[in-house]
Amino acid sequence: MPLQSPLLSALLVICMGLYAPGTRAAQIDSGNLSEMVKVLASDEFEGRAPGGPGEAKTITYLVDRFKAIGLQPGGKNGSWTQAVPLLKTQVQAPASLAFDIGKDRQALQQAEDIAIETSRPLDRISIEKAPVVFVGFGATAPERDWDDFGDIDLQGKVALFLVNDPDFAAEPEEPVAGRFGNRRMTYYGRWTYKFEEAERRGALAALVIHEDKAAGYGWTVAASGPGENYSLVRPEGSAPPLILRGWLHGDAAARLFAGAGLDLDEQRRLARSPDFQAFELKNASFSADLAVTVERIQSRNVLAVLPGTAYPDEILMASAHWDAYGQGEPDAQGRTIRPGANDDALGTAGILELARVLKAGQPLERSVVFALWTAEESGLLGSAAYAADPVYPLEKTVANLTLDIMQTAGPARDVILVGEGQSDLEGDLERAAAAQDRVVTPENLPENGLFFRADHFSMARGGVPVLLIMGIAGGSDLVDGGREAGDAWIAEYIANCYHQTCDTWDPSWDLRGAVMDVELFHAIIRDLGDSRRWPRWKPGSEFRAERAKSDSIRSGR
Ligand SMILES: [Zn+2]
C-alpha cells in the first residue's frame, strides 16, 4: 500500500468530514415527505381544524420537527408560534330574507336563491328595506383608468356586484377587451376584492351575482356550507365588517332586475363599458332578519427561522398551511375526518424537508423564515394575520415561496406557473427548472384566479414578490403519460378527494415530482440567499405599487 502524502490525508479528512454519514449533502427525501404526511393526516390529528385537539397535536408535531432540525423560534419573543384569534359565525335557519320592488315581495331561500354569511359578532341581524345599488363589476382601478362607482354613496345600502372582471366576457372589438388581463382574472375579479371595496365604501351588505363560468365554479360550490364564516378578530377601534355578504343566484338576480324594469343580460353588457356608473335600483330594497351564533377560536401560525450570516434582516420566506377541513358529514364508508393529506400536509412536509436541507447545507447570508399557516381553508386567515402584523418587516422580505398541494403522480417534464406575468421570480423558477431539464408551463385556467386563492397572496398584497406551486393549477407533462396523464390526475383528485374524506395518505404515491418541485424552491432560496438581488413585480402587476412605497429602504440590486 503506497504511503499517502500529508496533503492528500488532510483532503481526505476534510472530504470525510463533509460527506460523513449524517452530514453529507442533504437532499429532499421522498421517504421523509411520506412519513410526515402519514403522521399529519392520521386520524389522531382529526383533520387539523383550527382550534381544538387536532390543532394542539399538529402544533406540537411541527415545533418538534423544527427543533430537531436545529432551527430557531421564528415568532416574537422567542416563540415558535404567532397567535391568530378567529371568529366563527353561523347564520341560523330559517332566515327571513327578501327583496321588495314596489309592492312586490321576492322571498329568498338561503342556499337556493342566496348564500349569505356575516363576520360581525352579533346574535341577530336585522336589515329593514335597505336600498340596493348595482355597481357593475365594482372595480376602482386607477392604473387601468377604470372606476365603476363615480360619486355614488353606499352608506347603509346593499351593493350588488357582477362576478369576475370587466373584460372577462368581452368580445375582442369591445373597448374593454384586454383592459383587465383578458381571460386571466385580475384581483378586481375576486369576490374578496368586491367585499373589501364595499366595506371601504361603508356599504351595509354586498352580494355577488353568481354565474358558473365567470365564477369558475357552480352554484353548489358557491352555496356549500351556507351561512358559515371565519374571520380574523379585528383590533379595537377598526371599522366594522359588512353586516352581510355572499352570493346571489343568477336567476334570483334576473327576477330582481326584471322587477325593476331592467334586463340582467343587458346590464351585464353595459357594465363592460368604461362609461358604466353604479346606480340605485328604483323602488328596490333588501330586508333580512336572522339569528347568528358566534364562536371565538384561538389558533396559531408556526414560525421558525434560519438566521442569515451577513444580512439577517433580509428574509426569504417558505410557507405552506397546516390546517385542513377537520370533521364533516360521514361519507359512503362512514368516514368523517377530512385529513388534507395532499392539501396541505404534503406542502407542510415539503417546507419541513426544505428546512432540514437548508440547515444541513452551507449557511446563507440572508435569513430564511419557515411559516406554517393556520386557517388557510377558512379564507387565508393565518397568512393574513401575519401580513397585518409581520414578525419580519414585509419591506425587507425578499420573496415568499408557497407550496399548496403537490401532484403525486411522479416526475414531470415541466412545472406549472400560477399567475403568469406577475414578477421576476418567474425567471428564477425558469432557471431552477432548466437546471433540472424542465420547463415552465403557465397554468391552464388563469380565469379561475388561483393566484388569489392561496396564502402567498396575503404576502403579495403586502408587496412581497411571490411564487406558488399548486398541483391543481394545470396538468403536468408527466414523464409517464404526458400532459394527458397530468390532467387526468387533477380531474381525479378534484372530483373525488379535494377537501373531502378521500384526501388521505397513500403509500403508493409517487413523490418524485413533488421532490423535484421542492428542490426548485431549494435552488431559488440558495441563489437568492447569497445574493443582493431583490426580485421585483413586473409593470402592470396589481402589487407593484405597494412594493414601490418602500423601494428606497432596500439596498443592493
Ligand atoms: Zn390548500
Side-chain angles (χ1 to χ4, degrees), residues 321 323 343-344 376-377 404-405 470 498-499:
H321 67 89
D323 68 301
D343 180 12
D344 190 26
E376 189 273 352
E377 303 290 10
D404 196 348
I405 305 178
M470 186 179 249
Y498 183 48
H499 294 172

Side-chain angles (χ1 to χ4, degrees), residues 173-232:
E173 65 277 8
E174 286 181 53
V176 69
R179 201 113 151 217
F180 288 81
N182 285 317
R183 249 175 87 226
R184 181 178 76 83
M185 188 192 275
T186 60
Y187 187 45
Y188 303 105
R190 286 286 294 158
W191 51 261
T192 43
Y193 167 81
K194 297 170 195 286
F195 294 151
E196 287 160 10
E197 192 61 35
E199 192 176 304
R200 274 191 287 273
R201 293 170 180 274
L204 200 59
L207 297 172
V208 180
I209 300 170
H210 182 266
E211 288 170 80
D212 286 359
K213 245 175 132 180
Y217 40 83
W219 176 254
T220 47
V221 174
S224 62
E228 185 185 271
N229 177 276
Y230 287 84
S231 61
L232 292 175

Side-chain angles (χ1 to χ4, degrees), residues 99-102 106 129-136 152-154 157-162 207 209 248 252-264 267-268 276-286:
F99 286 120
D100 287 288
I101 305 130
Q106 299 181 351
K129 297 205 166 177
V132 178
V133 177
F134 178 56
V135 301
I152 197 146
D153 178 11
L154 291 185
K157 298 174 188 168
V158 177
L160 202 52
F161 290 83
L162 294 172
L207 297 172
I209 300 170
L248 182 63
R255 278 198 299 276
L256 169 68
F257 275 74
L262 300 168
D263 177 68
L264 178 57
Q267 291 303 316
R268 277 202 182 103
F276 174 85
Q277 287 280 287
F279 62 90
E280 218 170 285
L281 293 184
K282 273 202 201 93
N283 301 320
S285 65
F286 175 76

Side-chain angles (χ1 to χ4, degrees), residues 39 108 121 178 267 270 281 287 298 330 422 461 470 472 507 554:
V39 175
L108 300 163
Q267 291 303 316
L270 292 172
L281 293 184
S287 298
Q298 295 301 329
Q422 287 285 5
R461 297 184 67 181
M470 186 179 249
I472 56 170
R554 282 182 293 276

Side-chain angles (χ1 to χ4, degrees), residues 16 19-24:
M16 284 172 69
Y19 294 104
T23 59
R24 66 168 181 259

Side-chain angles (χ1 to χ4, degrees), residues 294-350:
V294 181
E295 192 185 331
R296 284 164 204 278
I297 296 170
Q298 295 301 329
S299 192
R300 286 178 291 170
N301 291 326
V302 178
L303 298 165
V305 62
L306 181 59
T309 54
Y311 307 101
D313 65 330
E314 297 181 4
I315 306 296
L316 285 148
M317 178 179 264
S319 51
H321 67 89
W322 65 250
D323 68 301
Y325 268 88
Q327 306 206 42
E329 293 299 307
D331 66 10
Q333 287 89 44
R335 296 178 298 184
T336 57
I337 294 172
R338 297 170 290 187
N342 194 321
D343 180 12
D344 190 26
L346 184 52
T348 298

